[in-house]
């Protein structure tokens, strides 16, 4: 389990989170959604203990994947994944091998990460997180840059990890994937939680937060009406 109690986060002169109370339990895949600037990344960073007002989680227990994470060095995919063992202070190979396999990267293990596609590099960074074997995974847009098939594969992997007893909190913009894979969807708007429920119960709130129309059709139209 991980959470915050009435967290208020101020960055510069602006309050980014306003008295947020949030918890996620083991066995859950929780998706944070909302428009840009809603406070999703800030909430995730607070949970990771990176901001004043957040906790100080054990890095062996809680792993964080930031938005747009990249490796700037000429390391192989396997070497990047092995960085996930740093919090444990060991060079255990089995967790790294499992992470590479889970992310579909076994065939790229010896390829430099700066010579593969953006989507493949994104999966290498996710493998680094998985190699830590954390109880809690905090993932900021882990399927950015992935094609539709890879995005579904990664979301299915994350759901399996939740079913195995891990706790996952994931920032996601794709409402269709949240509806299919999440146990809960938390909608943020203006630094506040405006909805927190099962995916099909928050669709109207999510559509409103994104400024999308909502009608008798039980799902939001993902494009604005034609002018």
């Amino acid at each position: 389990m991980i959470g915050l109690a009435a967290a208020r986060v101020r960055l510069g002169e602006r309050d980014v989170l306003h008295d947020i109370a949030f918890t996620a339990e083991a066995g859950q895949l929780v998706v944070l959604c909302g428009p840009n600037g809603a406070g999703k990344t800030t909430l995730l960073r607070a949970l990771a203990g990176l901001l004043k007002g957040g906790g100080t989680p054990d890095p062996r227990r809680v792993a964080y994947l930031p938005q747009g994470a990249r490796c700037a060095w000429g390391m192989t995919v396997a070497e990047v994944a092995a960085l996930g063992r740093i919090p444990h202070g060991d060079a255990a190979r089995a967790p790294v091998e499992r992470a590479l396999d889970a992310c579909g990267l076994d065939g790229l293990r010896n390829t430099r990460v700066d010579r593969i596609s953006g989507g493949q590099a994104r999966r290498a960074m996710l493998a680094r997180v998985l190699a830590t074997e954390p109880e809690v995974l905090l993932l900021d847009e882990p399927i950015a840059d992935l094609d539709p098939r890879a995005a579904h594969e990664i979301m299915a992997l994350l759901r399996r990890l939740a079913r195995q007893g891990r706790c996952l909190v994931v920032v996601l913009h794709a409402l269709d994937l949240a509806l299919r894979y999440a146990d809960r969807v938390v909608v943020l708007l203006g630094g506040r939680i405006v909805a927190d429920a099962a995916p099909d119960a928050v669709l109207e709130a999510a559509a409103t937060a994104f400024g999308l129309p909502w009608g008798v059709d039980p799902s939001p139209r993902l494009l604005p009406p034609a002018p």
Side-chain angles (χ1 to χ4, degrees):
M1 180 177 127
I2 195 166
L4 298 170
R8 176 176 176 268
V9 175
R10 187 173 181 83
L11 298 178
E13 299 299 316
R14 185 168 64 95
D15 286 338
V16 181
L17 296 181
H18 306 269
D19 298 322
I20 292 282
F22 172 87
T23 59
E25 305 284 343
Q28 287 188 333
L29 170 53
V30 182
V31 166
L32 306 180
C33 78
N36 293 335
K40 305 180 299 297
T41 292
T42 302
L43 174 54
L44 209 65
R45 294 185 68 208
L47 290 169
L50 300 176
L51 298 173
K52 184 178 180 181
T56 54
D58 183 344
R60 295 168 299 180
R61 176 180 169 269
V62 179
Y64 169 61
L65 179 67
Q67 183 181 139
R70 293 287 186 274
C71 179
W73 305 293
M75 303 173 69
T76 67
V77 168
E79 288 170 339
V80 170
L83 296 174
R85 299 308 301 170
I86 290 176
H88 295 276
D90 65 34
R93 296 302 309 170
V96 176
E97 296 301 322
R98 286 192 291 267
L100 291 171
D101 180 65
C103 292
L105 293 169
D106 190 63
L108 292 172
R109 59 170 47 254
N110 296 318
T111 305
R112 281 177 45 158
V113 75
D114 56 347
R115 294 179 180 174
I116 57 180
S117 73
Q120 291 167 334
R122 169 69 60 166
R123 283 189 280 155
M125 299 306 294
L126 179 59
R128 175 187 62 78
V129 169
L130 296 183
T132 304
E133 297 192 307
E135 298 172 22
V136 178
L137 292 89
L138 306 173
L139 310 176
D140 198 345
E141 298 191 40
I143 60 170
D145 304 324
L146 300 188
D147 63 45
R149 177 177 175 176
H152 277 279
E153 289 173 348
I154 292 301
M155 290 304 301
L157 167 62
L158 299 183
R159 185 169 63 180
R160 287 197 301 274
L161 292 173
R163 296 296 175 266
Q164 292 167 10
R166 311 273 185 96
C167 172
L168 292 96
V169 183
V170 181
V171 171
L172 202 64
H173 281 121
L175 292 177
D176 55 332
L177 295 181
L179 181 63
R180 180 165 183 172
Y181 294 103
D183 297 300
R184 283 168 53 203
V185 175
V186 178
V187 182
L188 286 97
L189 183 64
R192 292 181 168 86
I193 292 176
V194 297
D196 181 352
D200 57 355
V202 302
L203 281 175
E204 183 172 1
T208 301
F210 281 109
L212 299 172
W214 182 271
V216 294
D217 188 322
S219 63
R221 288 178 286 166
L222 298 183
L223 292 175

